[in-house]
Amino acid sequence: MPTAPFGSGRQQRGHPLPQVARNKISTHSDTLPTKIEKRKTRSSTHSETISKTTVTVLTLIGAVLAGIYAYRKQLLAEGDAHRSEASQLAEPYTAAAEQFGHDQAAVRLAGVYALARLADDWEEQRQVCIDVLCAYLRMPYQPDPTRAGHKEGEREVRHTIIRTIGDHLQQPDAPASWCANSFDFTGAAFDGGNFSGSHFIGNVTFYQAAFSGGVVVFHNATFGG
């Protein structure tokens, strides 16, 4: 039987591999680091993406929290300013109300003007100021100087109140208009006055009011809007 040439058939132990096998191994060896490097690159890119997303989310959360803090701080500041303003206006109100009980008519007149100005400036308590003016007109009134209970200059004080109310009822759209407020003249005594052109949009009552000793004008006055 002829002898097979050396190197043919199965590779003999201890002899070098064929060139094709060496090329395959070499190619595989060269590709493996490249794949590992690509995986590292993708992993690094993914980590960077996660890091950027996390930073962005944290930044947005920080911005939202900062906005909420600024808003709450503003509300607290506005609340403090409102309380301070109310406290500053409360003192003039007390002083004006006390003037209504003074013996001198000039002091009572000053109280009327002071309370009217306060009603213009203090919208939240405007109705309270108006109630005080109306309450003054409901108080017992003696216009006859020869009768007991008469107060010097009282007629002028009362007519000033009526005139002040009428002046504030002329323009419903005015910033300091009193047209939408309520007026309670129950049992009040009117010996003159002028409500011409007044617009009583809010509630108003003249129940059991007395009209005597003078003319009260309601020319072109409107009631109920």
Side-chain angles (χ1 to χ4, degrees):
M1 178 181 295
T3 304
F6 180 79
S8 63
R10 186 183 302 177
Q11 179 62 44
Q12 299 295 321
R13 183 180 298 177
H15 291 279
L17 293 172
Q19 184 64 34
V20 175
R22 289 200 302 271
N23 290 340
K24 289 183 178 180
I25 294 175
S26 177
T27 302
H28 180 72
S29 300
D30 294 340
T31 305
L32 185 58
T34 303
K35 291 183 178 179
I36 294 175
E37 186 64 29
K38 288 182 178 179
R39 290 179 181 175
K40 290 182 177 179
T41 302
R42 287 197 298 268
S43 178
S44 177
T45 303
H46 183 64
S47 299
E48 292 178 359
T49 303
I50 293 176
S51 298
K52 291 181 180 179
T53 303
T54 302
V55 171
T56 302
V57 171
L58 291 176
T59 302
L60 290 175
I61 293 175
V64 171
L65 292 177
I68 294 174
Y69 173 77
Y71 177 70
R72 288 179 60 84
K73 186 177 181 180
Q74 180 181 357
L75 289 179
L76 291 175
E78 291 176 354
D80 292 341
H82 179 74
R83 285 189 292 271
S84 176
E85 180 182 3
S87 177
Q88 292 177 358
L89 293 174
E91 294 180 3
Y93 169 80
T94 303
E98 289 177 352
Q99 289 178 304
F100 279 89
H102 202 277
D103 292 336
Q104 296 183 9
V107 178
R108 299 198 297 275
L109 280 172
V112 173
Y113 292 123
L115 201 60
R117 287 194 301 269
L118 190 60
D120 292 340
D121 297 335
W122 199 3
E123 184 176 1
E124 292 183 355
Q125 298 298 327
R126 179 173 297 166
Q127 184 62 56
V128 175
C129 298
I130 293 174
D131 290 342
V132 173
L133 295 174
C134 292
Y136 193 93
L137 294 177
R138 295 196 303 268
M139 293 176 62
Y141 170 50
Q142 178 53 259
D144 189 349
T146 63
R147 303 286 298 271
H150 174 75
K151 291 182 179 180
E152 186 69 27
E154 182 67 4
R155 188 172 190 272
E156 178 62 23
V157 175
R158 298 174 68 88
H159 282 222
T160 299
I161 293 176
I162 296 172
R163 183 169 59 252
T164 299
I165 292 175
D167 289 344
H168 284 82
L169 297 176
Q170 299 300 307
Q171 299 179 5
D173 297 332
S177 172
W178 297 0
C179 295
N181 292 95
S182 300
F183 296 87
D184 185 3
F185 300 116
T186 301
F190 292 90
D191 60 350
N194 189 357
F195 289 107
S196 296
S198 297
H199 299 279
F200 292 94
I201 298 176
N203 296 325
V204 57
T205 177
F206 288 92
Y207 179 70
Q208 292 186 344
F211 298 87
S212 63
V215 178
V216 181
V217 183
F218 288 92
H219 180 67
N220 287 333
T222 61
F223 295 84

